């Protein structure tokens, strides 16, 4: 990754970090309802992967998907408006934090049933092949999803049909509240199982945006060339608990400290310094990110509430919800 | 084309007609391609359209329906087969949580134009896990359209409408009807989803039926005709969209209602139909509403036992006599 690209990635990660912080603060102010599953700490995976993808590639994410939506073209304002139940939200306030979707830019949704979107990504890759487009489909999922049936069904089908799909596991070490190692018989829950399905399984430092970009770019080239799917397990750590209701008190202090020292933004900042980028340039990127998110918060707050009549639209392709003729 | 076509041939013919007119239609499922379907409902498709449009899958119901969903979201019109409708439970997340909700929860950004076909129903002695009538499962989920044709012509016409639909359709093919025959429909025959058919006219009672209970209701109606009771038989054809207007219209003529459904009484579609009638057509009724439905037990194996728990002509005749005398 060249210096300019790395600086761009850094700024995108900074925007995501600040958007997540804003979501957290807005929740505490009572402006965000329901729950949020924040991805602060995992920004390098979304940003690094997106840097390696084509604009017309498909991305499927989980309920912890703010970072993917933002990395794939959703604006902080659209996302925060959605979280704040505004009509200007990404999904017209019908989706919420767990379902951020921006189909126009290939962000085909965040799904809140663990692992359910892996077969969808397989299907999108199948469709790309049928249409001869050389598009790629990427499924981002957590370590917990590697123990559900759809994970294995998806890997097998993608392998046997040799589809251009990448399975990117964000291994943040915890399956909700439980250490993944306590409930999984192999050390690398995604990568270790890939070979059993005839798929290469790689491990990458998920907090290193350059390493993620490099791995995704390489596996994407391979998939587009017709060599089939791959599994990439990106090791990372979430800064917050599983969701709003989880203070994550179960995590050992030294573990938290170790991972916080391995923060993706700090890593990128260090790398930029190594490459000779002046501190002022990084500070300017930080300042732009701060301003973008600050404006987004104000704009999202100013958005109107949804028209209650909208509750009865969008079930069917004609826009309505009538189940009787 | 022959003078008659079987219901099972109509399934393949209906799919083939759509595959010829629209290259985005593709099929996937277990044993559908090389083997041409365990019920022979996909005969000729692989030969005509090739391996790039008719795909054999592993036994992976979640992957089949989930992949169909992903393909439908990205420009294809997949037709997925779930071999027996009992197996819909293996991919129920997709039917209940993913496919019907994605359009709504994305604020209308994503459409899912897919068809999930499945062999439904009992009467063939397949036991408790291969015999259920499960259309009522799908009926509990807002966002799915539900088709259940009773004749070969309707199979072809409703398959065309289902595949052309921009919304997801669960298409129930009744196993007990697969060998039945009927006239083949003309080219480009389309039966709009949500249009019930009055398949027998009568002034004394309305029998509302679906799929395999349609011929059953017609047989009962013929027997009752000899007793001077003329039953009108309405083939609902679809549960969503539901054509309640045709049912209410029929009741204006008959004033008596019996639903004939194979799924269990507990939560069956007949309950929805009679609740609409109670709500919107109470004044049309001269008698209580009645439902002949499956018993609330798992389907047993032996014929003598299975007959005890699914609708039969005798059960319908008895129920109609009771209502006529009310």
């Amino acid at each position: 990754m060249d210096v300019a690209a790395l600086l761009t990635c850094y700024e995108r990660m900074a925007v995501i970090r600040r958007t997540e912080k804003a979501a957290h603060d807005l929740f505490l102010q009572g402006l965000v309802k329901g729950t949020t599953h924040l991805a602060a700490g995992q920004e390098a995976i979304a940003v690094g992967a997106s840097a390696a993808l084509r604009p017309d590639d498909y991305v499927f994410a989980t309920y912890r998907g703010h970072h993917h939506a933002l990395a794939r073209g959703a604006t902080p304002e659209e996302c925060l408006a959605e979280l704040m139940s505004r009509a200007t939200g990404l999904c017209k306030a019908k989706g919420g934090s767990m379902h951020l979707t921006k189909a126009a830019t290939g962000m085909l949704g965040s799904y809140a049933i663990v692992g359910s979107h892996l077969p969808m990504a397989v299907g999108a890759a199948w469709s790309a092949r049928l249409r001869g487009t050389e598009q790629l489909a990427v499924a981002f999922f957590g370590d917990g999803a590697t123990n559900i049936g759809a994970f294995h069904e998806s890997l097998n089908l993608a392998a046997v049909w040799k589809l251009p799909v990448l399975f990117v596991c964000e291994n943040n070490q915890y399956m909700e509240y439980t250490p993944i190692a306590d409930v999984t018989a192999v050390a690398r829950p995604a990568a270790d199982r890939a070979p059993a399905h005839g798929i290469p399984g790689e491990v990458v430092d998920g907090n290193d945006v350059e390493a993620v970009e490099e791995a995704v770019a390489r596996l994407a080239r391979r998939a587009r060339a017709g060599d089939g799917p791959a599994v990439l397990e990106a090791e990372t750590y979430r800064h917050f608990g599983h969701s709003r209701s989880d203070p994550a008190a179960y995590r050992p202090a030294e573990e938290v400290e170790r991972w916080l020292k391995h923060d993706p933004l700090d890593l990128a900042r260090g790398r930029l310094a190594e490459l000779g980028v002046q501190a002022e340039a990084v500070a300017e990127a930080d300042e732009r990110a701060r301003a973008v998110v600050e404006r987004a918060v104000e704009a999202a707050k100013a958005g109107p509430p949804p028209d209650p009549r909208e509750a009865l639209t969008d079930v069917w392709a004609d826009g309505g919800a009538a189940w009787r003729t | 084309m022959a003078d008659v076509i079987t219901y099972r041939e109509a399934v393949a013919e209906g799919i083939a007609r759509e595959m010829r007119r629209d290259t985005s239609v593709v099929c996937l499922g277990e044993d559908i391609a090389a083997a041409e379907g365990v019920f022979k409902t996909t005969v000729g498709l692989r030969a005509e359209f090739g391996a790039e449009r008719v795909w054999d899958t592993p036994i992976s119901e979640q992957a089949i329906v989930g992949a169909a969903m992903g393909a439908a979201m990205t420009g294809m019109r997949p037709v997925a087969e779930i071999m027996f409708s009992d197996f819909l439970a293996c991919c129920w997340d997709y039917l209940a949580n993913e496919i019907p909700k994605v359009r709504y929860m994305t604020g209308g950004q994503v459409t899912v134009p897919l068809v999930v076909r499945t062999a439904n129903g009992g009467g063939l002695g397949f036991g408790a896990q291969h015999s259920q009538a499960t259309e009522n499962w799908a009926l509990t989920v807002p966002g799915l359209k539900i088709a259940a044709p009773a004749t070969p012509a309707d199979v072809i016409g409703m398959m065309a409408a289902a595949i052309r639909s921009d919304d997801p359709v669960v298409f129930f093919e009744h196993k007990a009807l697969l060998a039945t025959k009927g006239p083949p429909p003309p080219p480009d025959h389309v039966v709009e989803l949500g249009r019930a058919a009055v398949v027998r006219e009568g002034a004394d009672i309305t029998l509302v039926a679906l799929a395999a209970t349609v011929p059953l209701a017609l047989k009962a109606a013929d027997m009752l005709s000899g007793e001077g009771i003329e039953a009108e038989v309405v083939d609902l054809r679809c549960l969503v969209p539901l054509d309640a207007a045709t049912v209410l219209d029929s009741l204006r003529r008959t004033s008596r209602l019996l639903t004939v459904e194979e799924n269990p009484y507990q939560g069956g579609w007949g309950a929805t139909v009679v609740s609409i009638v109670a709500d919107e057509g109470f004044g049309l009724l001269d008698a209580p509403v009645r439902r002949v439905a499956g018993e609330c037990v798992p389907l047993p194996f032996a014929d003598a036992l299975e007959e005890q728990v699914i609708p039969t002509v005798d059960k319908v005749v008895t129920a109609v006599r009771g209502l006529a005398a009310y």
Side-chain angles (χ1 to χ4, degrees), chain A residues 1 10 28 75 86 95 110 116 136 144-145 202 205 209 303:
Chain A
M1 195 180 280
Y10 174 80
L28 296 179
T75 66
R86 310 295 167 159
S110 320
S116 66
L136 193 75
E202 294 190 13
D205 179 351
V209 72

Side-chain angles (χ1 to χ4, degrees), chain B residues 172-190:
Chain B
F172 288 97
E173 296 155 14
H174 202 290
K175 294 195 285 288
L177 296 176
L178 290 170
T180 61
K181 293 174 181 169
D188 207 32
H189 178 64
V190 180

Side-chain angles (χ1 to χ4, degrees), chain A residues 119-124 126 157 161, chain B residues 28 62-72 78 94:
Chain A
M120 296 176 212
V122 173
W126 179 47
L157 189 63
W161 286 3
Chain B
L28 73 165
Q62 294 186 63
I64 293 167
V65 181
M69 180 184 174
Y94 295 90

Side-chain angles (χ1 to χ4, degrees), chain B residues 137-148:
Chain B
W137 296 0
L139 185 60
T140 62
V141 184
L144 298 175
K145 291 185 173 173
I146 304 169

Side-chain angles (χ1 to χ4, degrees), chain A residues 103 116 127 153 311 316-317 324, chain B residues 63 74 94 103-104 109 167 280:
Chain A
S116 66
S127 157
E153 291 195 14
W316 305 122
R324 288 170 56 181
Chain B
T74 53
Y94 295 90
R103 177 173 185 83
Y104 189 83
Q109 293 180 58
D167 295 311
E280 300 175 27

Side-chain angles (χ1 to χ4, degrees), chain A residues 50-58 72 105 133-136 224:
Chain A
S50 291
L53 297 179
R54 287 189 347 196
D56 62 344
D57 287 333
Y58 300 117
R72 286 299 281 174
T105 59
T133 66
E134 293 189 2
Q135 285 165 291
L136 193 75
R224 286 191 221 279

Side-chain angles (χ1 to χ4, degrees), chain B residues 5-318:
Chain B
I5 184 171
T6 63
Y7 187 101
R8 84 172 76 243
E9 287 165 347
V11 174
E13 172 67 14
I15 298 168
R17 288 186 184 189
E18 291 309 301
M19 291 184 79
R20 286 177 203 130
R21 64 177 286 281
D22 182 352
T23 55
S24 69
V25 180
V26 286
C27 296
L28 73 165
E30 296 157 15
D31 303 324
I32 68 158
E36 302 189 309
V38 297
F39 296 108
K40 296 296 172 196
T41 46
T42 54
V43 170
L45 296 182
R46 171 76 162 251
E48 180 174 352
F49 300 104
E52 281 293 299
R53 292 186 70 193
V54 184
W55 293 65
D56 274 325
T57 66
I59 299 177
S60 302
E61 279 84 5
Q62 294 186 63
I64 293 167
V65 181
M69 180 184 174
M73 293 165 75
T74 53
M76 304 305 290
R77 287 187 181 267
V79 178
E81 177 178 308
I82 295 300
M83 192 183 287
F84 284 78
S85 66
D86 315 69
F87 310 164
L88 290 175
C90 299
C91 50
W92 193 237
D93 178 43
Y94 295 90
L95 274 299
N97 284 319
E98 315 298 341
I99 290 165
K101 294 188 169 94
V102 70
R103 177 173 185 83
Y104 189 83
M105 68 190 193
T106 63
Q109 293 180 58
V110 180
T111 52
V112 190
L114 63 78
V115 177
V116 177
R117 302 169 37 236
T118 191
N120 195 42
L124 300 176
F126 280 159
Q129 296 180 338
H130 285 67
S131 298
Q132 296 167 89
T134 66
E135 65 279 347
N136 57 320
W137 296 0
L139 185 60
T140 62
V141 184
L144 298 175
K145 291 185 173 173
I146 304 169
T151 67
D154 277 357
V155 167
I156 290 173
M158 290 167 69
M159 187 68 78
I163 292 174
R164 296 179 198 185
S165 166
D166 287 333
D167 295 311
V169 180
V170 188
F171 198 93
F172 288 97
E173 296 155 14
H174 202 290
K175 294 195 285 288
L177 296 176
L178 290 170
T180 61
K181 293 174 181 169
D188 207 32
H189 178 64
V190 180
V191 176
E192 186 188 350
L193 301 179
R195 293 276 173 256
V198 177
V199 292
R200 184 188 196 280
E201 293 186 351
D204 298 322
I205 183 166
T206 297
L207 304 184
V208 178
L210 184 78
T213 69
V214 173
L216 195 145
L218 286 169
K219 219 174 276 176
D222 283 346
M223 285 176 66
L224 290 157
S225 185
E227 303 174 14
I229 300 170
E230 293 302 330
E232 182 148 302
V233 178
V234 174
D235 176 359
L236 271 185
R237 304 201 285 198
C238 281
L239 297 179
V240 179
L242 185 72
D243 183 359
T246 293
V247 176
L248 289 163
D249 194 46
S250 176
L251 279 175
R252 284 189 189 94
R253 294 187 287 273
T254 66
S255 79
R256 284 170 167 76
L257 173 65
L258 177 76
T259 60
V260 190
E261 58 193 304
E262 189 178 322
N263 52 214
Y265 187 96
Q266 176 183 311
W269 57 258
T272 297
V273 171
V274 301
S275 78
I276 292 169
V277 169
D279 192 7
E280 300 175 27
F282 189 69
L284 303 173
L285 294 170
D286 287 328
V289 292
R290 292 278 185 255
R291 295 172 55 206
V292 169
E295 298 289 343
C296 294
V297 298
L299 272 290
F301 164 65
D303 289 351
L305 299 175
E306 196 176 20
E307 270 181 29
Q308 279 294 306
V309 305
I310 62 176
T312 60
V313 173
D314 285 348
K315 289 178 192 176
V316 175
V317 167
T318 303

